[in-house]
């Protein structure tokens, strides 16, 4: 689709995103602290044509920027592929639906073509860049660190299964793509129930997309490989940022040997499934991401283009931008060397160099003391050690005690 303007996105016409606490957003890249509504206090239809959603549609049609979309603007500025671009690419064929938009932004049809509902925060991992809102295992650590945690340990947007399916029955007949994320979707019973529903209805043409920690392929007697074999278009994005002990440090709960075994089984049992690495790039893995990427290429686990770069912006103290200049220089040279190993036709599409562009975009070394304060506290709880996992980042210690 040719985009009408650089601020236009199809999302407000075909999608709403929902968190485990019931908060509703225009999409998953919207600021988490700024929901457009909550399904626990109002209906999805109310939010669909609420004041803020109507204003967002009006802005987009007029080519005006919206604050809730700033993350996409920043990603595009640094050469990364944004959610906005992805939505327009996948759902441009629904562009005619925008013509039904009233002058005040009201749209008469809540036909969700792209579904992204986080059915709970239940997760078997507690990743360093996450928190209790999207990981139930994070709850106890959060309480120890800060004395309390927002919300309950287990959070779900719908209190009962009846309430859940009352909403799904409105959505599933129109859906073209479902994005399963979490929590951890492969330990969510709702995920399996939806796949079984689609199979029973003969609606297996729905595109399935996952963001998963890729640790559990079987859950409560269900084998996800068996279910995926019924769907021709399955895309699995594995949240893998690094390998071995570094991966196990960053995403607590990881068994790296099991991750590689699951990858081999997927290749054997579901060769039609499109697999890619969905890497969250932070100060932890900026250095070694090229090593992990090339290792999995050499093992035949991924192709050149099968990596999706998600640059971490929040929490700011985990950002690549806090790294000292001497480390940034070495990382930059490493990526430049890696670029020479990538075939020319894949150099732009994998967007790995956007990591360097963002890292060097500003100097946030003043956040290093905050990083050590927070990270060391978590190390104490989890009996882990940052510099044992990442000895190459030891030069950060010189900035540890600087005045903020």
């Amino acid at each position: 689709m040719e985009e009408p303007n650089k601020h236009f996105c199809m999302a407000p016409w075909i999608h709403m995103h929902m968190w485990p606490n019931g908060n509703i957003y225009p999409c998953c890249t919207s600021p988490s602290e700024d929901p457009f509504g909550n399904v626990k206090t109002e209906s999805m239809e109310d939010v669909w044509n609420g004041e803020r959603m109507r204003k967002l549609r009006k802005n987009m049609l007029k080519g005006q920027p919206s604050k809730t979309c700033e993350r996409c603007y920043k990603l595009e500025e640094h050469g990364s592929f944004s959610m906005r671009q992805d939505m327009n690419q996948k759902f441009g064929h629904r562009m005619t639906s925008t013509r039904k938009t009233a002058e005040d932004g009201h749209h008469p049809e809540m036909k969700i073509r792209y579904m992204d509902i986080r059915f709970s925060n239940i997760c078997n991992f507690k990743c360093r860049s996450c928190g209790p809102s999207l990981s139930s295992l994070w709850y106890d650590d959060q309480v120890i660190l800060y004395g309390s945690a927002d919300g309950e340990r287990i959070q779900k947007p719908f209190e009962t299964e009846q309430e859940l399916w009352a909403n799904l029955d409105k959505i599933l007949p129109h859906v073209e793509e479902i994005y399963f994320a979490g929590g951890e979707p492969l330990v969510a019973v709702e995920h399996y129930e939806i796949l079984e529903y689609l199979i029973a209805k003969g609606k297996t043409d729905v595109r399935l997309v996952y963001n998963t920690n890729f640790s559990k392929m079987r859950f409560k007697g269900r084998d996800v490989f068996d279910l995926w074999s019924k769907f021709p278009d399955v895309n699995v994005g594995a949240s893998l940022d690094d390998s071995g002990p570094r991966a196990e440090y960053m995403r607590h709960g990881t068994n790296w040997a099991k991750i590689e075994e699951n990858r081999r089984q997927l290749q054997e049992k579901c060769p039609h499934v499109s697999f890619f690495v969905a890497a969250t790039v932070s100060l932890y893995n900026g250095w070694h991401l090229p090593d992990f990427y090339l290792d999995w290429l050499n093992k035949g686990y991924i192709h050149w283009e099968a990596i999706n770069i998600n640059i971490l912006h929040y929490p700011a103290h985990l950002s690549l931008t806090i790294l000292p200049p001497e480390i940034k220089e070495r990382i930059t040279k490493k990526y430049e060397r890696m670029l020479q190993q990538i075939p020319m036709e894949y150099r732009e599409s994998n967007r790995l160099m956007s990591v360097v562009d963002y890292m060097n975009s500003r100097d946030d070394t003043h956040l290093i003391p905050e990083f050590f304060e927070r990270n060391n506290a978590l190390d104490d709880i989890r009996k882990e050690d940052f510099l044992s996992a990442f000895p190459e980042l030891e030069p950060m210690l010189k900035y540890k005690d600087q005045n903020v």
Side-chain angles (χ1 to χ4, degrees):
M1 181 193 83
E2 184 177 347
E3 298 173 354
N5 60 73
K6 67 179 182 180
H7 298 301
F8 176 83
C9 178
M10 280 300 304
W13 285 270
I14 52 92
H15 170 62
M16 285 193 298
H17 168 62
M18 189 183 300
W19 265 40
N21 63 4
N23 281 345
I24 297 176
Y25 305 87
C27 78
C28 65
T29 62
S30 302
S32 61
E33 69 277 7
D34 188 27
F36 277 32
N38 189 290
V39 76
K40 294 181 182 294
T41 58
E42 53 197 318
S43 70
M44 292 183 70
E45 290 87 351
D46 289 339
V47 180
W48 178 260
N49 276 314
E51 180 181 355
R52 297 193 63 191
M53 192 69 81
R54 287 187 282 111
K55 182 179 180 181
L56 183 62
R57 293 191 189 108
K58 288 194 297 182
N59 284 351
M60 288 183 174
L61 290 176
K62 293 178 180 178
Q64 297 175 351
S66 298
K67 186 172 179 60
T68 194
C69 302
E70 285 183 347
R71 186 177 180 191
C72 280
Y73 305 153
K74 289 180 180 179
L75 286 171
E76 292 170 20
E77 180 184 341
H78 293 289
S80 290
F81 191 65
S82 71
M83 183 73 169
R84 186 190 75 86
Q85 293 168 320
D86 186 57
M87 282 285 192
N88 291 347
Q89 187 179 93
K90 288 181 177 178
F91 297 99
H93 63 283
R94 294 292 177 183
M95 184 68 184
T96 55
S97 67
T98 66
R99 297 172 187 168
K100 299 178 181 179
T101 310
E103 188 175 344
D104 68 349
H106 181 281
H107 195 274
E109 298 175 341
M110 192 188 81
K111 291 184 177 180
I112 302 296
R113 308 293 182 178
Y114 173 65
M115 189 181 95
D116 179 4
I117 296 176
R118 310 298 167 92
F119 301 109
S120 78
N121 67 335
I122 295 173
C123 188
N124 57 333
F125 281 12
K126 45 182 180 179
C127 304
R128 289 269 167 167
S129 57
C130 196
S133 296
L134 293 175
S135 169
S136 53
L137 283 190
W138 243 102
Y139 187 89
D140 288 341
D141 288 359
Q142 187 82 358
V143 170
I144 294 171
L145 287 170
Y146 305 111
S148 64
D150 293 335
E152 302 294 325
R153 182 189 305 273
I154 304 297
Q155 300 179 26
K156 294 188 174 187
F158 303 107
E159 298 297 333
T160 66
E161 188 168 347
Q162 290 76 14
E163 186 182 354
L164 167 66
W165 280 96
N167 283 276
L168 290 179
D169 283 340
K170 302 173 189 175
I171 295 172
L172 292 176
H174 307 290
V175 75
E176 297 175 13
E177 177 175 323
I178 303 177
Y179 180 62
F180 290 108
E184 168 51 38
L186 299 187
V187 298
V189 67
E190 297 88 349
H191 156 256
Y192 295 93
E193 290 175 348
I194 288 172
L195 296 194
E196 290 165 350
Y197 168 95
L198 294 172
I199 292 169
K201 295 291 185 180
K203 199 171 168 57
T204 55
D205 59 340
V206 172
R207 182 167 56 246
L208 306 179
V209 183
Y210 290 82
N211 183 267
T212 168
N213 61 37
F214 207 59
S215 65
K216 300 281 286 187
M217 302 294 107
R218 295 166 189 82
F219 181 69
K220 294 189 175 181
R222 294 174 167 107
D223 188 317
V224 75
F225 294 141
D226 290 342
L227 293 169
W228 285 345
S229 69
K230 308 293 195 303
F231 293 83
D233 194 351
V234 183
N235 305 268
V236 176
S239 295
L240 307 174
D241 310 319
D242 210 325
S243 57
R246 292 187 298 271
E248 293 171 351
Y249 179 94
M250 294 172 65
R251 296 188 179 272
H252 187 99
T254 299
N255 178 327
W256 188 249
K258 182 62 176 174
I259 297 295
E260 293 206 325
E261 174 60 25
N262 288 343
R263 178 64 186 119
R264 290 189 290 268
Q265 286 196 15
L266 178 61
Q267 289 177 308
E268 176 186 339
K269 296 182 178 181
C270 293
H272 74 289
V273 169
S274 174
F275 178 90
F276 61 96
V277 167
T280 297
V281 189
S282 66
L283 70 88
Y284 294 118
N285 63 328
W287 186 298
H288 284 290
L289 185 62
D291 305 320
F292 167 48
Y293 176 52
L294 294 173
D295 177 53
W296 269 40
L297 281 165
N298 291 332
K299 290 177 176 175
Y301 292 162
I302 58 172
H303 302 292
W304 287 104
E305 71 276 22
I307 185 166
N308 183 18
I309 300 299
N310 175 33
I311 297 175
L312 180 144
H313 294 266
Y314 181 85
H317 69 274
L318 297 183
S319 170
L320 287 156
T321 56
I322 84 165
L323 292 171
E326 60 268 36
I327 293 181
K328 287 182 176 180
E329 182 179 358
R330 295 184 66 181
I331 291 176
T332 299
K333 291 178 179 177
K334 186 171 187 175
Y335 278 70
E336 290 172 347
R337 291 193 301 270
M338 176 205 62
L339 190 64
Q340 301 309 309
Q341 301 181 55
I342 300 176
M344 189 67 68
E345 62 266 32
Y346 299 120
R347 289 187 184 180
E348 182 177 354
S349 62
N350 67 37
R351 303 182 186 276
L352 278 160
M353 291 306 292
S354 66
V355 173
V356 173
D357 292 340
Y358 178 73
M359 177 184 69
N360 291 324
S361 66
R362 63 176 186 264
D363 178 5
D364 286 330
T365 50
H366 65 281
L367 293 175
I368 289 179
E370 180 183 354
F371 165 76
F372 277 109
E373 179 182 359
R374 292 174 179 264
N375 200 73
N376 289 351
L378 205 53
D379 276 354
D380 290 342
I381 294 169
R382 298 182 181 180
K383 309 303 181 188
E384 296 173 338
D385 183 69
F386 169 64
L387 289 178
S388 292
F390 304 95
E392 66 280 356
L393 299 183
E394 187 174 358
M396 291 176 65
L397 289 173
K398 292 189 297 184
Y399 299 77
K400 180 181 176 182
D401 299 319
Q402 65 181 339
N403 294 323
V404 180

